[in-house]
Amino acid sequence: ATIVAIDGPVASGKSSLARKVAKRLGFAHIDTGAMYRCVTFEAMRRQIPLTDADTLTTLAHSLDIRYIDSHDGEQNRVLLNGEDVSEIIRTPEVSRNTSPVADVPTVRHELVRLQRQLALRGRCVLDGRDIGTVVVPEAHWKFYVVASLDERVQRRLLQYQSEGHAVDVEKLRADIIERDRRDRARTHGALRLAPNATILDTTDISLEEAVEMVAALVEQAL
Ligand code: DC
């Protein structure tokens, strides 16, 4: 009862929600998308072709990925072999390249194993695509976060602009649609609603309201 699983499409707000719920409950936050991003970033840096499944899998197995939760719940850091990669793994280019890497079943197998290990320590909030269905199907709390496409494009646009990335809105919209399509189509770990998950539509509610709803439910039960 101490594992909270949060899944949802691109830019639905699941990561911010997971981070803030974790902070509020005093749980660890495990951002599983960051793991797929780390493998992709490292592969790009080492010029490993993103179609080379074997080398990508060996890479996924060898990386040391750690999370450092900040005290204010705002600036959680991701360390890749000790290096702070929190910003660089979120560039539009890494985002685009992560989709095909996340399609590779053997890469998923490696990362899911690591995610389960971390999750089973308990008192944690995980966010991703397949948390409630594959990573920890036994999680007591499962949320499926959605928001309209317009709202998701707007949120990602604001995020990229605040980070100083130049973005074309139409390209961003096409990227989000394409990444969602791939997330739903993959053979292993596809994005889908777990049978017992609660759907949370964040289109018209603030992040704080969403945090309140999720955290209150879990707190009541604890
Ligand atoms: O949540 P995010 O945007 O940081 O995820 C980055 C990519 O990794 C995205 O293409 C979906 C994929 N992903 C996945 O396949 N399974 C997860 N549990 C988390 C992310």
Side-chain angles (χ1 to χ4, degrees):
T2 57
I3 302 174
V4 183
I6 301 184
D7 290 303
V10 175
S12 54
K14 62 191 178 319
S15 245
S16 308
L17 176 66
R19 188 180 69 239
K20 289 195 176 271
V21 167
K23 171 72 192 152
R24 158 101 171 249
L25 298 172
F27 284 16
H29 173 211
I30 302 165
D31 170 356
T32 63
M35 293 187 186
Y36 292 94
R37 289 171 180 273
C38 280
V39 174
T40 307
F41 168 68
E42 193 59 33
M44 288 164 70
R45 185 152 70 173
R46 297 190 194 178
Q47 300 189 330
I48 296 168
L50 301 180
T51 46
D52 182 350
D54 288 348
T55 311
L56 289 173
T57 306
T58 308
L59 184 64
H61 183 76
S62 70
L63 295 180
D64 175 18
I65 300 168
R66 289 171 200 237
Y67 301 98
I68 313 279
D69 289 356
S70 68
H71 294 297
D72 59 7
E74 294 294 336
Q75 294 284 323
N76 291 356
R77 314 305 302 175
V78 182
L79 302 187
L80 171 58
N81 294 333
E83 174 189 353
D84 187 338
V85 294
S86 318
E87 276 88 29
I88 199 146
I89 59 167
R90 301 196 188 281
T91 60
E93 198 192 0
V94 174
S95 298
R96 216 168 300 125
N97 286 338
T98 302
S99 234
V101 172
D103 281 347
V104 180
T106 45
V107 167
R108 300 198 72 83
H109 185 81
E110 275 304 321
L111 296 184
V112 166
R113 196 171 53 84
L114 180 61
Q115 290 156 14
R116 262 191 82 73
Q117 245 173 34
L118 292 172
L120 294 180
R121 294 179 187 165
R123 298 182 63 82
C124 58
V125 183
L126 291 94
D127 77 274
R129 304 292 187 288
D130 56 345
I131 308 301
T133 50
V134 174
V135 179
V136 269
E138 69 268 53
H140 187 69
W141 301 101
K142 296 185 188 180
F143 297 91
Y144 190 84
V145 185
V146 297
S148 72
L149 180 62
D150 281 346
E151 181 64 26
R152 296 189 290 132
V153 170
Q154 202 52 36
R155 287 179 191 166
R156 202 37 67 92
L157 184 66
L158 289 176
Q159 180 200 328
Y160 280 153
Q161 284 172 341
S162 74
E163 290 164 357
H165 300 295
V167 268
D168 170 330
V169 182
E170 285 319 309
K171 193 160 187 304
L172 177 63
R173 177 183 293 267
D175 266 7
I176 290 179
I177 293 172
E178 173 57 14
R179 289 175 57 210
D180 277 349
R181 189 194 63 73
R182 284 191 90 122
D183 283 343
R184 294 199 170 94
R186 68 174 55 96
T187 47
H188 292 81
L191 171 67
R192 58 188 174 80
L193 179 67
N196 48 354
T198 303
I199 297 176
L200 184 60
D201 188 338
T202 66
T203 307
D204 297 315
I205 63 171
S206 67
L207 176 59
E208 285 64 34
E209 286 171 296
V211 171
E212 182 54 39
M213 285 162 73
V214 172
L217 274 172
V218 179
E219 271 167 351
Q220 270 170 24
L222 280 179

